[in-house]
Amino acid sequence: MRVGRVRRALAVAALLVATACGHGGTSRPPPAPGHWKLIFHDEFDGSSLDTRRWATCYDWNRDGCTNSSNHEEQWYLPGQVTVGNGALSLTAVRRPTRGSDGKTYPWTSGMISTGRDHWDGRPRRTFTYGYFESAVRIPSQAGMFPAFWMMPASRHTPPELDVMEFLGSTRQVLMSTHWRGGDGARRTERGTYGPEDFPADYHVFALLWTRHELTWFVDGVARLRVTDPERVPHVPMEVLVDLAVGLPHSPPPSVREARMTVDWVRVWQQ
């Protein structure tokens, strides 16, 4: 058992987190009533990414990808996704990279998704309702946009569920649901938790998604709850973890590299 995992397991127990973090430890059910089953998980204990579970791009992958609607500064490539020492690493590097869209991006970075390898493929896994959790250590460098989130298998957003995002700050986590109102306009409800020195160690970010509610947890403590029926989605979703760059501002010139590490990802359903 690695020392880092022992430390995290002790912290989790102290905070009454619903999941044990230790290597080889048992996973405990979510902090919600009902009988739960662990239906998807990756502890990243191997030496390479399990491509049966994960793609390394969005569904529109063609020799890499990006999220052009956000005007992000990275082009995602599989080489920026590594597994070792019991963790997944997504590494952003300041390296001009020409995308298959013909544009040159100042950064390259990594992401994983339970979606498809290409537009016409089938998603690896989609989920409708459940408890979604991940132990993540975000980078400390400015200009990074790490996220653990979910988008519809239809690829039409909204809806969208953001379990965690760090946008313009490493001390304040954002938790969001996005939906389309009755008038067709895009709408968002967002909560925050902090300040806290999130890059200093791993933290467990989780979302309970049922037919009637959305509840976000940070280190086992509920931080935001949404029950308005209009704001709770009911469509199959893919799970994504990514390290985007350049939102809301570009990294300062002194930043050349940043790394986001993930101890594990788990999905429970009733």
Side-chain angles (χ1 to χ4, degrees), residues 1-12 20-25 42-45 84-88 201-202 262-264 266:
M1 183 182 289
R2 301 200 326 269
V3 173
R5 291 199 174 195
V6 173
R7 183 177 65 251
R8 292 197 295 279
L10 292 173
V12 164
C21 295
H23 178 65
D42 199 337
E43 313 297 319
F44 303 113
D45 285 330
N85 297 318
L88 167 81
D201 207 342
Y202 283 85
V262 181
D263 198 348
W264 43 260
R266 296 170 182 160

Side-chain angles (χ1 to χ4, degrees), residues 59-116:
D59 296 340
W60 47 91
N61 176 23
R62 187 164 63 88
D63 298 322
C65 61
T66 192
N67 188 342
S68 58
S69 63
N70 280 346
H71 306 290
E72 296 169 3
E73 296 181 6
Q74 83 291 331
W75 184 257
Y76 290 120
L77 288 174
Q80 304 310 115
V81 181
T82 57
V83 172
N85 297 318
L88 167 81
S89 294
L90 305 178
T91 304
V93 178
R94 188 187 291 272
R95 182 172 65 228
T97 303
R98 187 169 179 81
S100 57
D101 59 0
K103 300 178 182 178
T104 297
Y105 294 81
W107 287 77
T108 184
S109 190
M111 68 169 289
I112 58 172
S113 164
T114 63
R116 307 160 175 86

